[in-house]
Amino acid sequence: MMKKRRWSPEKRDRLSKRGQTENLKLGTLAAQVNPKTGPFETNEQALIWVLKSPEGIVHEFRNLSHWTRQHADILPGTPEQARCGIMQIKRSVLGKTRRPVTSWKGWTLLDWRKPDNGKVGRHNEKET
């Protein structure tokens, strides 16, 4: 087993002052605009989500973060708060929270799954 090395405060300061290299800056920019890795509906890591609004409207979409940014006007908080609230429901369904969480400000999570129709969530009410 390898021993974890600790960084000294001086080493951290030197690295921080150096900043991003030109190559890293280019790579970061490329990743942000790439449809497969950027903040888009087409992100390859994005799941398909099914939410129910307090009014009973069912929303099915891909990429929770993208959807919350695009629909901030219908959400009762910031996009980040909405994403965190929905993720908390998911963690609760998976048994990863101490107390059960079933909704966020009236919004409920009905389903989540991988885009290739692979089952991920426990609440698949309909087969697609």
Side-chain angles (χ1 to χ4, degrees), residues 70-99:
Q70 298 298 313
H71 295 86
D73 56 322
I74 64 170
L75 298 170
T78 67
E80 183 62 18
Q81 289 170 334
R83 188 192 66 76
C84 289
I86 300 304
M87 291 300 294
Q88 185 69 8
I89 298 169
K90 179 184 173 192
R91 282 191 295 280
S92 177
V93 169
L94 294 173
K96 297 181 179 182
T97 59
R98 290 184 185 193
R99 296 184 187 148

PDB file of all heavy atoms in Angstrom, residues 70-99:
ATOM      1  N   GLN A  70     -32.196  25.844 -18.202  1.00  0.00           N
ATOM      2  CA  GLN A  70     -33.117  26.271 -19.257  1.00  0.00           C
ATOM      3  C   GLN A  70     -34.517  26.603 -18.728  1.00  0.00           C
ATOM      4  O   GLN A  70     -35.255  27.345 -19.364  1.00  0.00           O
ATOM      5  CB  GLN A  70     -33.226  25.182 -20.333  1.00  0.00           C
ATOM      6  CG  GLN A  70     -31.928  24.877 -21.050  1.00  0.00           C
ATOM      7  CD  GLN A  70     -31.396  26.073 -21.801  1.00  0.00           C
ATOM      8  OE1 GLN A  70     -32.130  26.749 -22.510  1.00  0.00           O
ATOM      9  NE2 GLN A  70     -30.109  26.341 -21.652  1.00  0.00           N
ATOM     10  N   HIS A  71     -34.902  26.037 -17.596  1.00  0.00           N
ATOM     11  CA  HIS A  71     -36.251  26.209 -17.061  1.00  0.00           C
ATOM     12  C   HIS A  71     -36.257  26.893 -15.686  1.00  0.00           C
ATOM     13  O   HIS A  71     -37.128  26.642 -14.859  1.00  0.00           O
ATOM     14  CB  HIS A  71     -36.953  24.849 -16.985  1.00  0.00           C
ATOM     15  CG  HIS A  71     -37.184  24.254 -18.329  1.00  0.00           C
ATOM     16  ND1 HIS A  71     -36.233  23.506 -18.973  1.00  0.00           N
ATOM     17  CD2 HIS A  71     -38.241  24.334 -19.168  1.00  0.00           C
ATOM     18  CE1 HIS A  71     -36.696  23.131 -20.150  1.00  0.00           C
ATOM     19  NE2 HIS A  71     -37.910  23.620 -20.290  1.00  0.00           N
ATOM     20  N   ALA A  72     -35.313  27.762 -15.470  1.00  0.00           N
ATOM     21  CA  ALA A  72     -35.207  28.473 -14.188  1.00  0.00           C
ATOM     22  C   ALA A  72     -36.480  29.258 -13.870  1.00  0.00           C
ATOM     23  O   ALA A  72     -36.820  29.434 -12.702  1.00  0.00           O
ATOM     24  CB  ALA A  72     -33.998  29.403 -14.196  1.00  0.00           C
ATOM     25  N   ASP A  73     -37.213  29.688 -14.901  1.00  0.00           N
ATOM     26  CA  ASP A  73     -38.411  30.493 -14.693  1.00  0.00           C
ATOM     27  C   ASP A  73     -39.563  29.711 -14.047  1.00  0.00           C
ATOM     28  O   ASP A  73     -40.427  30.304 -13.415  1.00  0.00           O
ATOM     29  CB  ASP A  73     -38.875  31.109 -16.013  1.00  0.00           C
ATOM     30  CG  ASP A  73     -39.119  30.066 -17.099  1.00  0.00           C
ATOM     31  OD1 ASP A  73     -38.352  29.085 -17.170  1.00  0.00           O
ATOM     32  OD2 ASP A  73     -40.071  30.228 -17.879  1.00  0.00           O
ATOM     33  N   ILE A  74     -39.563  28.383 -14.142  1.00  0.00           N
ATOM     34  CA  ILE A  74     -40.654  27.605 -13.550  1.00  0.00           C
ATOM     35  C   ILE A  74     -40.249  26.931 -12.231  1.00  0.00           C
ATOM     36  O   ILE A  74     -41.059  26.275 -11.604  1.00  0.00           O
ATOM     37  CB  ILE A  74     -41.205  26.542 -14.531  1.00  0.00           C
ATOM     38  CG1 ILE A  74     -40.149  25.489 -14.864  1.00  0.00           C
ATOM     39  CG2 ILE A  74     -41.768  27.188 -15.776  1.00  0.00           C
ATOM     40  CD1 ILE A  74     -40.703  24.301 -15.633  1.00  0.00           C
ATOM     41  N   LEU A  75     -39.005  27.115 -11.845  1.00  0.00           N
ATOM     42  CA  LEU A  75     -38.503  26.476 -10.628  1.00  0.00           C
ATOM     43  C   LEU A  75     -38.555  27.441  -9.440  1.00  0.00           C
ATOM     44  O   LEU A  75     -38.280  28.631  -9.602  1.00  0.00           O
ATOM     45  CB  LEU A  75     -37.071  25.991 -10.841  1.00  0.00           C
ATOM     46  CG  LEU A  75     -36.910  24.932 -11.935  1.00  0.00           C
ATOM     47  CD1 LEU A  75     -35.443  24.697 -12.238  1.00  0.00           C
ATOM     48  CD2 LEU A  75     -37.594  23.648 -11.529  1.00  0.00           C
ATOM     49  N   PRO A  76     -38.875  26.933  -8.238  1.00  0.00           N
ATOM     50  CA  PRO A  76     -38.995  27.798  -7.065  1.00  0.00           C
ATOM     51  C   PRO A  76     -37.668  28.079  -6.363  1.00  0.00           C
ATOM     52  O   PRO A  76     -37.602  28.166  -5.154  1.00  0.00           O
ATOM     53  CB  PRO A  76     -39.928  26.996  -6.156  1.00  0.00           C
ATOM     54  CG  PRO A  76     -39.626  25.587  -6.487  1.00  0.00           C
ATOM     55  CD  PRO A  76     -39.296  25.567  -7.956  1.00  0.00           C
ATOM     56  N   GLY A  77     -36.621  28.218  -7.100  1.00  0.00           N
ATOM     57  CA  GLY A  77     -35.294  28.488  -6.544  1.00  0.00           C
ATOM     58  C   GLY A  77     -34.329  28.653  -7.702  1.00  0.00           C
ATOM     59  O   GLY A  77     -34.734  28.718  -8.858  1.00  0.00           O
ATOM     60  N   THR A  78     -33.067  28.696  -7.392  1.00  0.00           N
ATOM     61  CA  THR A  78     -32.063  28.806  -8.448  1.00  0.00           C
ATOM     62  C   THR A  78     -31.908  27.447  -9.133  1.00  0.00           C
ATOM     63  O   THR A  78     -32.280  26.410  -8.573  1.00  0.00           O
ATOM     64  CB  THR A  78     -30.696  29.224  -7.869  1.00  0.00           C
ATOM     65  OG1 THR A  78     -30.207  28.155  -7.045  1.00  0.00           O
ATOM     66  CG2 THR A  78     -30.799  30.514  -7.082  1.00  0.00           C
ATOM     67  N   PRO A  79     -31.352  27.426 -10.340  1.00  0.00           N
ATOM     68  CA  PRO A  79     -31.104  26.142 -11.003  1.00  0.00           C
ATOM     69  C   PRO A  79     -30.249  25.199 -10.148  1.00  0.00           C
ATOM     70  O   PRO A  79     -30.511  24.001 -10.099  1.00  0.00           O
ATOM     71  CB  PRO A  79     -30.384  26.535 -12.294  1.00  0.00           C
ATOM     72  CG  PRO A  79     -30.898  27.899 -12.594  1.00  0.00           C
ATOM     73  CD  PRO A  79     -31.059  28.553 -11.243  1.00  0.00           C
ATOM     74  N   GLU A  80     -29.256  25.744  -9.467  1.00  0.00           N
ATOM     75  CA  GLU A  80     -28.397  24.901  -8.623  1.00  0.00           C
ATOM     76  C   GLU A  80     -29.177  24.325  -7.443  1.00  0.00           C
ATOM     77  O   GLU A  80     -29.002  23.157  -7.080  1.00  0.00           O
ATOM     78  CB  GLU A  80     -27.190  25.699  -8.125  1.00  0.00           C
ATOM     79  CG  GLU A  80     -26.218  24.898  -7.321  1.00  0.00           C
ATOM     80  CD  GLU A  80     -25.557  23.747  -8.066  1.00  0.00           C
ATOM     81  OE1 GLU A  80     -25.568  23.720  -9.304  1.00  0.00           O
ATOM     82  OE2 GLU A  80     -25.031  22.850  -7.389  1.00  0.00           O
ATOM     83  N   GLN A  81     -30.065  25.113  -6.847  1.00  0.00           N
ATOM     84  CA  GLN A  81     -30.886  24.610  -5.741  1.00  0.00           C
ATOM     85  C   GLN A  81     -31.816  23.499  -6.221  1.00  0.00           C
ATOM     86  O   GLN A  81     -32.003  22.492  -5.535  1.00  0.00           O
ATOM     87  CB  GLN A  81     -31.706  25.746  -5.125  1.00  0.00           C
ATOM     88  CG  GLN A  81     -30.881  26.733  -4.346  1.00  0.00           C
ATOM     89  CD  GLN A  81     -31.684  27.969  -3.964  1.00  0.00           C
ATOM     90  OE1 GLN A  81     -32.650  28.337  -4.637  1.00  0.00           O
ATOM     91  NE2 GLN A  81     -31.269  28.629  -2.896  1.00  0.00           N
ATOM     92  N   ALA A  82     -32.387  23.693  -7.402  1.00  0.00           N
ATOM     93  CA  ALA A  82     -33.285  22.673  -7.963  1.00  0.00           C
ATOM     94  C   ALA A  82     -32.525  21.385  -8.242  1.00  0.00           C
ATOM     95  O   ALA A  82     -32.989  20.297  -7.902  1.00  0.00           O
ATOM     96  CB  ALA A  82     -33.931  23.199  -9.242  1.00  0.00           C
ATOM     97  N   ARG A  83     -31.364  21.492  -8.845  1.00  0.00           N
ATOM     98  CA  ARG A  83     -30.559  20.308  -9.146  1.00  0.00           C
ATOM     99  C   ARG A  83     -30.199  19.574  -7.851  1.00  0.00           C
ATOM    100  O   ARG A  83     -30.344  18.361  -7.749  1.00  0.00           O
ATOM    101  CB  ARG A  83     -29.290  20.690  -9.908  1.00  0.00           C
ATOM    102  CG  ARG A  83     -28.513  19.473 -10.423  1.00  0.00           C
ATOM    103  CD  ARG A  83     -27.135  19.860 -10.922  1.00  0.00           C
ATOM    104  NE  ARG A  83     -26.270  20.340  -9.850  1.00  0.00           N
ATOM    105  CZ  ARG A  83     -25.683  19.540  -8.942  1.00  0.00           C
ATOM    106  NH1 ARG A  83     -25.869  18.248  -8.968  1.00  0.00           N
ATOM    107  NH2 ARG A  83     -24.917  20.053  -8.001  1.00  0.00           N
ATOM    108  N   CYS A  84     -29.772  20.315  -6.855  1.00  0.00           N
ATOM    109  CA  CYS A  84     -29.405  19.700  -5.577  1.00  0.00           C
ATOM    110  C   CYS A  84     -30.613  19.043  -4.909  1.00  0.00           C
ATOM    111  O   CYS A  84     -30.490  17.957  -4.327  1.00  0.00           O
ATOM    112  CB  CYS A  84     -28.782  20.734  -4.640  1.00  0.00           C
ATOM    113  SG  CYS A  84     -27.143  21.267  -5.147  1.00  0.00           S
ATOM    114  N   GLY A  85     -31.778  19.689  -4.980  1.00  0.00           N
ATOM    115  CA  GLY A  85     -32.989  19.119  -4.392  1.00  0.00           C
ATOM    116  C   GLY A  85     -33.393  17.820  -5.054  1.00  0.00           C
ATOM    117  O   GLY A  85     -33.733  16.835  -4.375  1.00  0.00           O
ATOM    118  N   ILE A  86     -33.334  17.781  -6.372  1.00  0.00           N
ATOM    119  CA  ILE A  86     -33.689  16.560  -7.106  1.00  0.00           C
ATOM    120  C   ILE A  86     -32.654  15.465  -6.845  1.00  0.00           C
ATOM    121  O   ILE A  86     -33.006  14.291  -6.663  1.00  0.00           O
ATOM    122  CB  ILE A  86     -33.824  16.851  -8.616  1.00  0.00           C
ATOM    123  CG1 ILE A  86     -34.922  17.898  -8.875  1.00  0.00           C
ATOM    124  CG2 ILE A  86     -34.089  15.571  -9.397  1.00  0.00           C
ATOM    125  CD1 ILE A  86     -36.282  17.557  -8.321  1.00  0.00           C
ATOM    126  N   MET A  87     -31.388  15.832  -6.792  1.00  0.00           N
ATOM    127  CA  MET A  87     -30.346  14.853  -6.498  1.00  0.00           C
ATOM    128  C   MET A  87     -30.511  14.287  -5.089  1.00  0.00           C
ATOM    129  O   MET A  87     -30.234  13.114  -4.847  1.00  0.00           O
ATOM    130  CB  MET A  87     -28.954  15.468  -6.663  1.00  0.00           C
ATOM    131  CG  MET A  87     -28.589  15.785  -8.103  1.00  0.00           C
ATOM    132  SD  MET A  87     -28.597  14.360  -9.185  1.00  0.00           S
ATOM    133  CE  MET A  87     -27.243  13.432  -8.513  1.00  0.00           C
ATOM    134  N   GLN A  88     -30.996  15.096  -4.151  1.00  0.00           N
ATOM    135  CA  GLN A  88     -31.232  14.619  -2.788  1.00  0.00           C
ATOM    136  C   GLN A  88     -32.345  13.568  -2.782  1.00  0.00           C
ATOM    137  O   GLN A  88     -32.261  12.575  -2.054  1.00  0.00           O
ATOM    138  CB  GLN A  88     -31.574  15.794  -1.870  1.00  0.00           C
ATOM    139  CG  GLN A  88     -31.703  15.408  -0.421  1.00  0.00           C
ATOM    140  CD  GLN A  88     -30.379  15.020   0.212  1.00  0.00           C
ATOM    141  OE1 GLN A  88     -29.316  15.164  -0.364  1.00  0.00           O
ATOM    142  NE2 GLN A  88     -30.456  14.482   1.412  1.00  0.00           N
ATOM    143  N   ILE A  89     -33.366  13.779  -3.605  1.00  0.00           N
ATOM    144  CA  ILE A  89     -34.438  12.781  -3.719  1.00  0.00           C
ATOM    145  C   ILE A  89     -33.853  11.479  -4.264  1.00  0.00           C
ATOM    146  O   ILE A  89     -34.140  10.389  -3.754  1.00  0.00           O
ATOM    147  CB  ILE A  89     -35.580  13.277  -4.634  1.00  0.00           C
ATOM    148  CG1 ILE A  89     -36.236  14.531  -4.071  1.00  0.00           C
ATOM    149  CG2 ILE A  89     -36.612  12.173  -4.827  1.00  0.00           C
ATOM    150  CD1 ILE A  89     -37.186  15.211  -5.040  1.00  0.00           C
ATOM    151  N   LYS A  90     -33.027  11.584  -5.291  1.00  0.00           N
ATOM    152  CA  LYS A  90     -32.415  10.388  -5.884  1.00  0.00           C
ATOM    153  C   LYS A  90     -31.580   9.645  -4.840  1.00  0.00           C
ATOM    154  O   LYS A  90     -31.678   8.416  -4.719  1.00  0.00           O
ATOM    155  CB  LYS A  90     -31.550  10.778  -7.082  1.00  0.00           C
ATOM    156  CG  LYS A  90     -30.862   9.599  -7.725  1.00  0.00           C
ATOM    157  CD  LYS A  90     -29.940  10.036  -8.849  1.00  0.00           C
ATOM    158  CE  LYS A  90     -29.139   8.853  -9.357  1.00  0.00           C
ATOM    159  NZ  LYS A  90     -28.058   9.261 -10.231  1.00  0.00           N
ATOM    160  N   ARG A  91     -30.762  10.373  -4.091  1.00  0.00           N
ATOM    161  CA  ARG A  91     -29.952   9.737  -3.049  1.00  0.00           C
ATOM    162  C   ARG A  91     -30.832   9.046  -2.011  1.00  0.00           C
ATOM    163  O   ARG A  91     -30.515   7.962  -1.530  1.00  0.00           O
ATOM    164  CB  ARG A  91     -29.042  10.764  -2.376  1.00  0.00           C
ATOM    165  CG  ARG A  91     -27.816  11.097  -3.208  1.00  0.00           C
ATOM    166  CD  ARG A  91     -26.802  11.908  -2.426  1.00  0.00           C
ATOM    167  NE  ARG A  91     -27.271  13.235  -2.052  1.00  0.00           N
ATOM    168  CZ  ARG A  91     -27.282  14.286  -2.851  1.00  0.00           C
ATOM    169  NH1 ARG A  91     -26.826  14.184  -4.083  1.00  0.00           N
ATOM    170  NH2 ARG A  91     -27.719  15.456  -2.436  1.00  0.00           N
ATOM    171  N   SER A  92     -31.961   9.654  -1.688  1.00  0.00           N
ATOM    172  CA  SER A  92     -32.885   9.065  -0.722  1.00  0.00           C
ATOM    173  C   SER A  92     -33.463   7.761  -1.261  1.00  0.00           C
ATOM    174  O   SER A  92     -33.532   6.762  -0.549  1.00  0.00           O
ATOM    175  CB  SER A  92     -34.013  10.049  -0.408  1.00  0.00           C
ATOM    176  OG  SER A  92     -34.947   9.471   0.465  1.00  0.00           O
ATOM    177  N   VAL A  93     -33.871   7.755  -2.522  1.00  0.00           N
ATOM    178  CA  VAL A  93     -34.424   6.547  -3.136  1.00  0.00           C
ATOM    179  C   VAL A  93     -33.385   5.430  -3.147  1.00  0.00           C
ATOM    180  O   VAL A  93     -33.712   4.261  -2.947  1.00  0.00           O
ATOM    181  CB  VAL A  93     -34.917   6.851  -4.573  1.00  0.00           C
ATOM    182  CG1 VAL A  93     -35.250   5.577  -5.327  1.00  0.00           C
ATOM    183  CG2 VAL A  93     -36.116   7.783  -4.530  1.00  0.00           C
ATOM    184  N   LEU A  94     -32.132   5.794  -3.331  1.00  0.00           N
ATOM    185  CA  LEU A  94     -31.055   4.810  -3.343  1.00  0.00           C
ATOM    186  C   LEU A  94     -30.631   4.380  -1.936  1.00  0.00           C
ATOM    187  O   LEU A  94     -29.740   3.548  -1.781  1.00  0.00           O
ATOM    188  CB  LEU A  94     -29.843   5.374  -4.098  1.00  0.00           C
ATOM    189  CG  LEU A  94     -30.044   5.606  -5.593  1.00  0.00           C
ATOM    190  CD1 LEU A  94     -28.843   6.327  -6.187  1.00  0.00           C
ATOM    191  CD2 LEU A  94     -30.310   4.299  -6.313  1.00  0.00           C
ATOM    192  N   GLY A  95     -31.256   4.973  -0.920  1.00  0.00           N
ATOM    193  CA  GLY A  95     -30.947   4.609   0.458  1.00  0.00           C
ATOM    194  C   GLY A  95     -29.682   5.242   0.996  1.00  0.00           C
ATOM    195  O   GLY A  95     -29.074   4.731   1.935  1.00  0.00           O
ATOM    196  N   LYS A  96     -29.285   6.367   0.442  1.00  0.00           N
ATOM    197  CA  LYS A  96     -28.041   7.011   0.848  1.00  0.00           C
ATOM    198  C   LYS A  96     -28.240   8.218   1.759  1.00  0.00           C
ATOM    199  O   LYS A  96     -27.314   8.978   1.986  1.00  0.00           O
ATOM    200  CB  LYS A  96     -27.248   7.422  -0.395  1.00  0.00           C
ATOM    201  CG  LYS A  96     -26.823   6.229  -1.229  1.00  0.00           C
ATOM    202  CD  LYS A  96     -26.015   6.652  -2.425  1.00  0.00           C
ATOM    203  CE  LYS A  96     -25.577   5.443  -3.219  1.00  0.00           C
ATOM    204  NZ  LYS A  96     -24.747   5.806  -4.354  1.00  0.00           N
ATOM    205  N   THR A  97     -29.459   8.405   2.263  1.00  0.00           N
ATOM    206  CA  THR A  97     -29.709   9.501   3.197  1.00  0.00           C
ATOM    207  C   THR A  97     -30.289   8.937   4.489  1.00  0.00           C
ATOM    208  O   THR A  97     -30.893   7.863   4.491  1.00  0.00           O
ATOM    209  CB  THR A  97     -30.695  10.538   2.613  1.00  0.00           C
ATOM    210  OG1 THR A  97     -31.933   9.880   2.317  1.00  0.00           O
ATOM    211  CG2 THR A  97     -30.145  11.193   1.364  1.00  0.00           C
ATOM    212  N   ARG A  98     -30.113   9.654   5.566  1.00  0.00           N
ATOM    213  CA  ARG A  98     -30.632   9.194   6.865  1.00  0.00           C
ATOM    214  C   ARG A  98     -32.146   9.293   6.922  1.00  0.00           C
ATOM    215  O   ARG A  98     -32.812   8.425   7.447  1.00  0.00           O
ATOM    216  CB  ARG A  98     -30.032  10.013   7.998  1.00  0.00           C
ATOM    217  CG  ARG A  98     -28.578   9.724   8.195  1.00  0.00           C
ATOM    218  CD  ARG A  98     -28.051  10.473   9.378  1.00  0.00           C
ATOM    219  NE  ARG A  98     -26.615  10.272   9.488  1.00  0.00           N
ATOM    220  CZ  ARG A  98     -25.918  10.588  10.525  1.00  0.00           C
ATOM    221  NH1 ARG A  98     -26.496  11.148  11.562  1.00  0.00           N
ATOM    222  NH2 ARG A  98     -24.620  10.378  10.551  1.00  0.00           N
ATOM    223  N   ARG A  99     -32.669  10.384   6.412  1.00  0.00           N
ATOM    224  CA  ARG A  99     -34.116  10.594   6.417  1.00  0.00           C
ATOM    225  C   ARG A  99     -34.633  10.499   4.982  1.00  0.00           C
ATOM    226  O   ARG A  99     -33.993  10.992   4.057  1.00  0.00           O
ATOM    227  CB  ARG A  99     -34.452  11.967   6.976  1.00  0.00           C
ATOM    228  CG  ARG A  99     -34.061  12.123   8.408  1.00  0.00           C
ATOM    229  CD  ARG A  99     -34.507  13.465   8.937  1.00  0.00           C
ATOM    230  NE  ARG A  99     -33.979  13.672  10.264  1.00  0.00           N
ATOM    231  CZ  ARG A  99     -33.652  14.833  10.755  1.00  0.00           C
ATOM    232  NH1 ARG A  99     -33.793  15.920  10.036  1.00  0.00           N
ATOM    233  NH2 ARG A  99     -33.186  14.936  11.972  1.00  0.00           N
TER     234      ARG A  99
END
